[in-house]
Amino acid sequence: MLRMRRTNDQKAETRQHIVEAAGKLFRQHGIDAVGVDAIMHAAGLTHGGFYGHFVSKEALVAEVAAASLARAAERWAQIAREGAADAALRRIVESYLDPAHVAEVEQGCVLTTLGPEVARRPEARPGIAASVRVMADALERCLPLGADAMAALSTMVGAVVLARVADTPELAEAILGAAKGAVCGPLPLCGGEPDPEGEVL
Amino acid sequence: MLRMRRTNDQKAETRQHIVEAAGKLFRQHGIDAVGVDAIMHAAGLTHGGFYGHFVSKEALVAEVAAASLARAAERWAQIAREGAADAALRRIVESYLDPAHVAEVEQGCVLTTLGPEVARRPEARPGIAASVRVMADALERCLPLGADAMAALSTMVGAVVLARVADTPELAEAILGAAKGAVCGPLPLCGGEPDPEGEVL
DNA sequence: TGTACATCAGTGAACGCGCGTTCACTGATGTAC
DNA sequence: TGTACATCAGTGAACGCGCGTTCACTGATGTAC
């Protein structure tokens, strides 16, 4: 039990640990199912210290949601900036619509793990919405002309939500596959080599 | 304060009132934010009687989610069976992607209001998944050949989730409009008269 | 038709428990001399 | 370099409160006679 005074940098680090622990727990169990006590314990601290970092649990919720989604949005933006459009699109879409993303709830996209819960908290929405715009912009850079980025993002988010309520892996994978096809081919509006079985259109 | 004995039919009716009250409250505030006491009060009863109808709150959750979504699925199936394919599609899609649906959370589609919360409760998932299949089948009947019903459903669900986290009505409506365009034209794969500005493809 | 009784849907007090938040305290550190 | 002190990140007991669940009870009803 080491209990030493920390410098300002160390306090910021502790705060970051709290945010990360909360992020995982909220996504795994839902915001209301996770108490301040459990968060602080997961961060290796005791509950009383929480209010030295945040004015309330709600303030933490807003920060956790915004920070986590902002990081994902920044990753997308970077991928979109870097390479060829269709390769970037496939990289983003395939990692998002991967069964691994569906399974790893505790580090899954906040839109799919906490979307409706965050929507009920007005103070958390601006931070989320800002990242939604960034994500749509990133997709816009990758998508072929005429495809709508907001629609593509909707498809991706909805597919992961649906895959998580599916009661069999087969259904989940069918949903992810269908969404993949709709967003980045072989269906219309998309570059990339045509799928051998993709003669549907 | 009338307190009279009810027949079996009346008990079933009471049970239904509980399910309906819970459905509204869960969607509005989240499952964990609504207590048995609040549900029973909303149904005009006292909390103690709850366990004469359900073995636990979790059992109610599963029933509420399944029943509410099943009703929506049945409505879709009926619309899809009735009229012309493209009219049915527009009817389903336009009511789902209507700002009114986004606003009326307490009677909104369970997939968009409680999706992630229900996904965390294994015992609630089979009931939900069954209705997802029914909804996809209904869409399949309406969609033009080659369009994927699961992808369309994903787009619709994701769009409503995103519209609810949006921080301005403009963003919300842009998301809904984009999703509408992607699912039922004027973009590819869809019947319906071409949009005057829809020369993108 | 009239009376006595069994049924059982719904009541409300009580249970142990964990919640979000407050606060007096601790003690390792950085700083002043 | 060595000592005394102020700082303040983190501790842990305590607060009022509402949770999910249990249970002895009530009293209007349907039924038997």
Side-chain angles (χ1 to χ4, degrees):
Chain A
M1 189 198 297
L2 76 173
R3 195 207 295 174
M4 42 180 186
R5 191 182 167 207
R6 318 295 176 108
T7 68
N8 277 351
D9 282 4
Q10 285 171 316
K11 184 173 184 189
E13 213 174 289
T14 298
R15 187 188 157 100
Q16 203 45 43
H17 289 152
I18 297 171
V19 170
E20 272 155 33
K24 286 186 187 179
L25 289 169
F26 286 160
R27 284 180 261 193
Q28 202 154 36
H29 304 109
I31 294 168
D32 290 331
V34 177
V36 168
D37 188 61
I39 295 164
M40 293 301 277
H41 187 80
L45 300 161
T46 54
H47 66 276
F50 179 81
Y51 294 88
H53 292 281
F54 303 95
V55 306
S56 66
K57 186 189 171 186
E58 283 309 308
L60 171 68
V61 168
E63 181 163 333
V64 162
S68 162
L69 197 61
R71 213 187 305 177
E74 192 37 58
R75 247 178 282 135
W76 284 27
Q78 197 173 317
I79 294 174
R81 254 185 266 112
E82 277 172 359
D86 70 330
L89 180 64
R90 295 203 106 85
R91 228 182 114 193
I92 291 172
V93 173
E94 269 166 23
S95 70
Y96 201 91
L97 296 176
D98 191 311
H101 180 203
V102 172
E104 290 155 10
V105 189
E106 101 266 349
Q107 48 191 21
C109 173
V110 161
L111 295 168
T112 64
T113 49
L114 299 174
E117 288 169 79
V118 150
R120 289 182 202 110
R121 310 182 190 240
E123 73 280 9
R125 281 162 55 185
I128 296 287
S131 288
V132 165
R133 287 182 238 258
V134 172
M135 291 166 95
D137 285 349
L139 284 178
E140 185 113 56
R141 267 209 184 73
C142 308
L143 281 166
L145 246 157
D148 190 288
M150 272 307 177
L153 183 57
S154 298
T155 307
M156 292 165 70
V157 169
V160 173
V161 169
L162 289 176
R164 290 220 182 91
V165 297
D167 56 351
T168 68
E170 289 74 29
L171 178 58
E173 276 162 38
I175 294 163
L176 297 176
K180 231 178 286 184
V183 176
C184 66
L187 287 185
L189 294 174
C190 197
E193 62 282 19
D195 186 312
E197 285 137 19
E199 20 73 69
V200 169
L201 217 211
Chain B
M1 186 199 298
L2 76 172
R3 195 209 294 175
M4 43 182 186
R5 189 180 169 210
R6 317 295 176 106
T7 67
N8 277 349
D9 282 5
Q10 286 170 318
K11 184 172 184 190
E13 213 174 289
T14 299
R15 187 189 158 100
Q16 202 46 42
H17 289 151
I18 297 171
V19 169
E20 271 155 33
K24 286 186 186 178
L25 289 169
F26 286 160
R27 284 179 262 193
Q28 203 154 36
H29 303 110
I31 294 168
D32 290 332
V34 177
V36 167
D37 187 60
I39 295 164
M40 293 300 277
H41 188 80
L45 301 161
T46 52
H47 65 277
F50 179 82
Y51 294 88
H53 292 281
F54 303 95
V55 306
S56 66
K57 187 189 172 188
E58 284 308 310
L60 171 69
V61 168
E63 181 162 334
V64 163
S68 163
L69 197 61
R71 213 187 306 177
E74 192 37 57
R75 247 178 282 134
W76 284 27
Q78 197 174 318
I79 294 173
R81 255 185 265 113
E82 275 172 359
D86 70 330
L89 181 64
R90 295 202 107 86
R91 228 181 116 194
I92 291 172
V93 172
E94 268 164 24
S95 70
Y96 201 91
L97 296 176
D98 191 310
H101 179 203
V102 172
E104 291 156 10
V105 189
E106 100 266 349
Q107 48 192 22
C109 173
V110 161
L111 295 168
T112 64
T113 50
L114 299 175
E117 289 169 78
V118 150
R120 288 180 202 111
R121 310 180 190 241
E123 73 281 9
R125 281 161 58 187
I128 296 287
S131 288
V132 166
R133 288 181 237 257
V134 172
M135 292 166 95
D137 285 348
L139 284 178
E140 186 112 54
R141 266 210 186 72
C142 307
L143 281 167
L145 245 157
D148 191 289
M150 272 307 178
L153 183 57
S154 298
T155 306
M156 293 165 70
V157 169
V160 173
V161 169
L162 288 176
R164 291 220 181 91
V165 298
D167 55 352
T168 68
E170 289 75 28
L171 178 58
E173 275 162 37
I175 294 164
L176 297 176
K180 231 179 285 185
V183 175
C184 65
L187 285 184
L189 293 175
C190 197
E193 63 282 19
D195 186 313
E197 286 137 17
E199 22 71 71
V200 169
L201 218 212

